Amino acid sequence: MSEDLEQKYRDAAAKPSNLGEMKDADVVGTAGSPGCGDMLRIWLKFREEKKKGKVIDKASFQSFGCETAIAVASVATEMLAGKTMEEAQALQGEDLSAPLGPLPPMKVHCASLVEEALKQALTEEKSGMISDSEAAAPQAQGLQQSMQDSQTGGRKIVFD
């Protein structure tokens, strides 16, 4: 990996954009598993525009994963603003990580994790499973709480 690429990852991971729960989110998508350690949750808030219709107003994320997963989620949440649901649905992992440059083969799964969480959130919105902020609130619990609620091999994950 080039030194320039490594610096982009470090910068995006050290100062991630849009990090944290979004209390007024319209939809939430989660990908990964507490069993393997990589988990990512993405929150989306929509707005109506006259010409485009429903677009993503803002996005935020939480991640328990490596520096690359955090960096990809950070740049992805920035690129999602102003996109229609169809435009966002068409994005692949490589599109979401493109601002960072090409990912090394062993880090491609980080972009896939972000893509999976995004697609889950968009699927919920499209299907009408979650239609407003109040309905999203129960699912929008923090990623840390989700991990604490999970039982993995009879052990509960506890964060200090």
Side-chain angles (χ1 to χ4, degrees):
M1 182 181 336
S2 76
E3 206 172 295
D4 182 50
L5 190 56
E6 278 188 55
Q7 189 59 48
K8 284 183 183 180
Y9 291 152
R10 272 192 244 115
D11 291 346
K15 298 176 188 169
S17 300
N18 306 308
L19 179 65
E21 283 181 61
M22 186 187 308
K23 299 289 184 191
D24 63 343
D26 293 316
V27 292
V28 179
T30 304
S33 137
C36 75
D38 285 341
M39 281 189 71
L40 186 121
R41 179 162 287 159
I42 191 164
W43 287 267
L44 301 175
K45 180 76 176 164
F46 297 97
R47 72 172 186 268
E48 284 291 328
E49 282 190 0
K50 286 183 181 183
K51 291 185 179 187
K52 286 178 128 179
K54 189 179 237 180
V55 299
I56 297 171
D57 184 37
K58 56 186 174 179
S60 69
F61 77 98
Q62 281 184 332
S63 176
F64 287 104
C66 68
E67 207 171 64
T68 304
I70 294 167
V72 172
S74 177
V75 298
T77 57
E78 288 189 359
M79 88 169 38
L80 289 170
K83 296 233 184 291
T84 65
M85 288 180 47
E86 293 77 21
E87 291 168 335
Q89 187 72 37
L91 294 171
Q92 301 295 311
E94 63 189 27
D95 302 318
L96 297 168
S97 64
L100 296 171
L103 297 178
M106 69 278 214
K107 293 296 183 178
V108 171
H109 73 281
C110 297
S112 297
L113 190 67
V114 176
E115 177 187 352
E116 185 181 334
L118 172 62
K119 302 270 168 105
Q120 183 191 43
L122 293 170
T123 298
E124 288 182 5
E125 176 62 23
K126 194 171 187 175
S127 71
M129 289 172 58
I130 299 177
S131 58
D132 59 34
S133 299
E134 288 182 35
Q139 282 193 317
Q141 73 178 2
L143 191 56
Q144 181 174 350
Q145 184 63 44
S146 292
M147 290 184 77
Q148 286 176 332
D149 291 346
S150 297
Q151 291 290 326
T152 307
R155 290 176 270 153
K156 191 169 189 170
I157 300 170
V158 178
F159 297 92
D160 293 329

